[in-house]
Each structure stands twice: as C-alpha cells, then as structure tokens.
Amino acid sequence: MPTENKVDAPLQVERSTVTKLVITGAPRLDAITVFLEDFGRRDCPTESDQNYQTAQGKITINCWDKSWNAYWGGMGPRTVAEFVAKCDWPYVLNCLDRGISSTRFSGDALHAFAKKCIVQRCRQQTGRHDWELGELSKSEARELWQDIEVLTSVESPNECWHHSKLLTELFGDEWHYPVDDKAIEENHEFTYLRRVVEAVQDALRQEQQQVAA
C-alpha cells in the first residue's frame, strides 16, 4: 500500500559563539585546551524585573587524555569566560566533576591503619588512643599482623564487609566508623583537576586584564 507523504517540520538551528584557548606553561601540566561556548541569553523573569534575561554558557577543558565540561544556565550578564574567572575554584571543579572528593578510600591506607592499631594495642597504649578494644598479647599481635596483609587488596568501603571478622578483631564491632575516617589517602585525580582549573582561571583572568588595559 502506498505510504502517506509527510511533510517534515523544518530543522531548528541555533548559532553559538565558541572561543578556543590553548594554555601552555602551567607548572606540571601538559597543554590545556579550553572551549568557551556562549549560547546567548534566556528569559528569566524576577519579581523586580519581568523582562530580566540571563546568559548561558558551557566550558570544555582537555588536558592530555582527560576531558571535563560544565554548563551554566544562569550566569547573569557575564560571558562564560567572565563567569568561570570570577568563581571560586572549588565551585568550578565540582561543576566539572560532580561529587569528586579530595580524599578517597585506599586499601593501602587501611592496611597502614591496621598496623598502627596492632602496634599501639600491643604496646598497651590503649589509654592514650581511642581504640574500642584493649591490649593484645604478642602472639595475638603476630597473628593479626599476618592476617592484615589481605587488606591491601580491598578496593572500596563495601569490600570491607568481606573482612568484617578481621576488622572486628582490630577495631571492635563499630569498626566501620574508624575505617571510614582513617582508611583514606589523597585523591590525586582531585589534586590534578584542581591544578587544571586554577591554570584555566589564571589564564582567563590574565586575558581579561589584557583586554581591559
């Protein structure tokens, strides 16, 4: 049977302004490529101004094999370059990588914390430290010292529950509290992204100062 001819609606095309920057010379960083995209303004009426409009924009940052991007739909009267340059680095970093933390769980850190616990409990230092359990005999300490080697292979807090018996012998029934606080190390991905963000902000501010001069 013949199909009914349909008239497709015309495609909608919007044009935006894109600026590309290449930043070099930042300490301990490869060249950084930044794409700044301004989408114009959108209606955003307020109680005091029903005709108020706010700017929209997106930033994409590439450094070596990493890439991050963020979009803002309410930048006020500023361009995305002006907006990013003025914001604090923690805010920009979180927009680029939501939920990233400056520290992260580490099996190596858990193992080091377990060793510290055994040494202090064996040396009868429980009165000076907040361990739930009391002192250890030399034989108990020696056995635990061998057992805790498995902790280096733990990759996440959830995996700790597979070693609940061992962790209970070390830290007591509420072992998850000290583990959550102490089995952590610096998150190098966070530190790296912070250096990238700060380099980008410094470059944007430098450019704005040159334009204003």
Side-chain angles (χ1 to χ4, degrees):
M1 294 178 62
T3 57
E4 182 180 340
N5 292 329
K6 292 183 179 180
V7 179
D8 293 330
L11 297 175
Q12 306 223 348
V13 180
E14 293 184 8
R15 185 183 295 260
S16 62
T17 302
V18 181
T19 301
K20 176 184 176 181
L21 304 176
V22 179
I23 303 166
T24 57
R28 297 177 295 153
L29 288 173
D30 294 294
I32 304 169
T33 304
V34 182
F35 295 93
L36 303 162
E37 191 169 7
D38 289 291
F39 299 120
R41 301 195 176 192
R42 65 180 178 85
D43 293 332
C44 187
T46 64
E47 290 186 7
S48 59
D49 185 357
Q50 291 296 311
N51 296 317
Y52 179 75
Q53 292 184 320
T54 184
Q56 314 168 77
K58 178 181 179 181
I59 187 171
T60 301
I61 302 173
N62 300 316
C63 187
W64 188 237
D65 61 344
K66 297 286 186 180
S67 180
W68 308 268
N69 65 77
Y71 163 83
W72 292 280
M75 301 188 301
R78 292 165 291 189
T79 64
V80 67
E82 293 167 339
F83 180 80
V84 171
K86 188 172 182 180
C87 290
D88 294 333
W89 69 260
Y91 170 76
V92 177
L93 185 149
N94 184 63
C95 290
L96 293 169
D97 193 342
R98 297 284 182 185
I100 191 171
S101 173
S102 59
T103 58
R104 62 184 176 189
F105 174 86
S106 163
D108 289 335
L110 175 58
H111 180 252
F113 184 51
K115 289 200 297 186
K116 178 180 178 181
C117 174
I118 293 171
V119 169
Q120 291 179 348
R121 288 178 59 194
C122 190
R123 291 177 179 174
Q124 301 182 7
Q125 294 180 338
T126 52
R128 291 167 44 199
H129 300 278
D130 192 23
W131 305 112
E132 182 179 341
L133 302 180
E135 64 187 71
L136 291 168
S137 67
K138 289 185 178 180
S139 61
E140 290 172 330
R142 191 179 303 111
E143 184 176 346
L144 278 174
W145 195 269
Q146 295 174 345
D147 292 342
I148 63 174
E149 286 300 317
V150 70
L151 299 179
T152 59
S153 63
V154 178
E155 297 183 352
S156 70
N158 284 340
E159 286 188 22
C160 289
W161 291 96
H162 298 311
H163 307 282
S164 179
K165 182 177 182 295
L166 173 59
L167 295 174
T168 299
E169 292 175 359
L170 288 164
F171 309 116
D173 292 332
E174 303 296 324
W175 57 263
H176 49 280
Y177 289 117
V179 166
D180 288 346
D181 291 338
K182 302 295 184 181
I184 55 175
E185 65 180 6
E186 177 186 355
N187 185 350
H188 297 293
E189 291 183 2
F190 179 96
T191 305
Y192 178 71
L193 181 53
R194 173 178 176 174
R195 289 195 283 114
V196 170
V197 168
E198 290 181 324
V200 170
Q201 289 184 304
D202 287 344
L204 292 176
R205 291 165 186 155
Q206 180 179 300
E207 272 220 324
Q208 290 167 20
Q209 289 171 358
Q210 291 173 350
V211 171

